[in-house]
Amino acid sequence: MSATLILTVVLAVGIGVSLGLLGGGGSILAVPLLVYVAGLPAKEAIATSLLVVGATSAAGVIPHARAGRVRWRTGLIFGLAGMTGAYAGGRVAAYIPGAVLLTGFALMMLATAVAMIRGRRSAAERPARHELPVLHVIADGVVVGLVTGLVGAGGGFLVVPALALLGGLPMSVAVGTSLLVIAMKSVAGLAGYLSSVHIHWGLAIAVTVAAIAGSFLGGRLAGLIREDVLRKAFGWFVVVMGAFVLAQQLPGQLWGRPEWWVAVAVVTAGTAAGVLLRQRHRRREPCDALAAAPDHSAPVLASSGRRQGRPGSR
């Protein structure tokens, strides 16, 4: 076994941990690993990543299902609708330049990350839904599938926010249900590639086994981490990956200009500061509301004091 294969298998564990813990990140991690570490051609790497991510997601559903963190009806309907939208998006993508698609994908990832970090303002006030309305699930699935079909990767980065932010599911349940959706879409995508792309089955099986082992670890960790911590970790992870994808689309001459990096640092620091300030403001709102609430006990005490004082005054 070569050193390259050992390194690829070891790093593949991270793919499974990402899928099991966050419900996404599999394809974005798998494709660079297979291209830059394993040395596969781009199309073969994409096809192999679909096999790895699909099998890993299917296996990762098991610990989430045992813990009751999978909404089966929602996931199956969302997956079928997403497969339909992904097919349409794939057809439209043939007429759009790749750089435009990846740039839009990166910006969409950053917007999604901000939404995940901020969270739902009324999430604590709404009861967790057992299953989402069918029409709602179909609409979200088609839209998410259309976008993921356009960009070709990153299904979990859109499925989890769609279920958690738009659908109102708890974050851990959105992660478990997302794995079911990703497995379904990966099977459909792999079927389309097998007719024209050869897969190195030995490497694919080794990477898949390592990723599945990581998915069980990630699934166990998901049940031990608080909802808000898991949601924010997901958001910041998407920020990093979105910034990386966006940076890859920049012209080469910008990389050597210091003013560009200063601008990036300022924007990053400003975004982080804005998110932190908003979170602090949201934490202070309940305290301010309690402080502003009228104290009804004082008039009662004062009134009772006056009543007690009247007999003495007479």
Side-chain angles (χ1 to χ4, degrees):
M1 183 180 291
S2 65
T4 300
L5 179 58
I6 294 175
L7 179 61
T8 302
V9 171
V10 171
L11 294 177
V13 176
I15 298 173
V17 172
S18 172
L19 284 167
L21 180 61
L22 303 176
S27 56
I28 287 183
L29 295 176
V31 173
L33 173 65
L34 294 171
V35 171
Y36 299 114
V37 179
L40 296 182
K43 289 188 177 181
E44 185 176 342
I46 292 174
T48 305
S49 73
L50 289 171
L51 172 62
V52 174
V53 171
T56 305
S57 298
V61 170
I62 296 174
H64 287 277
R66 288 178 175 175
R69 296 193 298 265
V70 177
R71 299 293 184 261
W72 292 101
R73 191 195 71 174
T74 296
L76 291 172
I77 296 175
F78 197 111
L80 291 173
M83 291 167 69
T84 303
Y87 176 78
R91 296 296 298 268
V92 174
Y95 304 97
I96 303 176
V100 174
L101 291 174
L102 288 177
T103 301
F105 177 48
L107 294 175
M108 179 180 56
M109 288 175 66
L110 294 176
T112 300
V114 172
M116 293 299 293
I117 293 170
R118 291 174 55 186
R120 292 171 62 93
R121 186 174 185 84
S122 58
E125 301 174 2
R126 297 185 180 182
R129 302 179 182 178
H130 181 70
E131 295 285 0
L132 304 184
V134 174
L135 293 179
H136 189 171
V137 174
I138 293 176
D140 287 350
V142 170
V143 172
V144 171
L146 179 64
V147 176
T148 54
L150 286 171
V151 300
F157 287 116
L158 297 176
V159 176
V160 172
L163 295 173
L165 298 179
L166 300 179
L169 294 182
M171 181 63 185
S172 59
V173 175
V175 169
T177 307
S178 171
L179 293 175
L180 176 62
V181 176
I182 293 172
M184 295 175 64
K185 294 202 300 182
S186 296
V187 169
L190 178 61
Y193 270 97
L194 286 179
S195 60
S196 59
V197 175
H198 171 72
I199 292 181
H200 190 299
W201 290 104
L203 174 64
I205 293 174
V207 172
T208 301
V209 171
I212 289 175
S215 71
F216 285 108
L217 175 61
R220 289 183 175 272
L221 293 175
L224 302 176
I225 301 177
R226 296 203 325 263
E227 295 284 331
D228 58 335
V229 175
L230 186 60
R231 188 191 71 246
K232 292 176 184 178
F234 183 94
W236 286 113
F237 182 65
V238 177
V239 167
V240 174
M241 299 307 298
F244 175 78
V245 174
L246 185 60
Q248 296 301 306
Q249 308 310 311
L250 296 174
Q253 60 268 24
L254 286 180
W255 290 95
R257 302 182 63 175
E259 60 270 21
W260 160 250
W261 293 109
V262 171
V264 170
V266 170
V267 171
T268 303
T271 302
V275 172
L276 292 175
L277 287 174
R278 181 172 180 83
Q279 290 175 348
R280 178 180 296 182
H281 176 71
R282 290 174 61 186
R283 285 195 298 266
R284 290 179 57 185
E285 283 181 352
C287 298
D288 295 340
L290 289 175
D295 188 358
H296 298 288
S297 61
V300 173
L301 292 175
S303 175
S304 62
R306 285 195 299 268
R307 293 193 187 99
Q308 293 174 357
R310 285 174 184 168
S313 63
R314 285 192 293 233

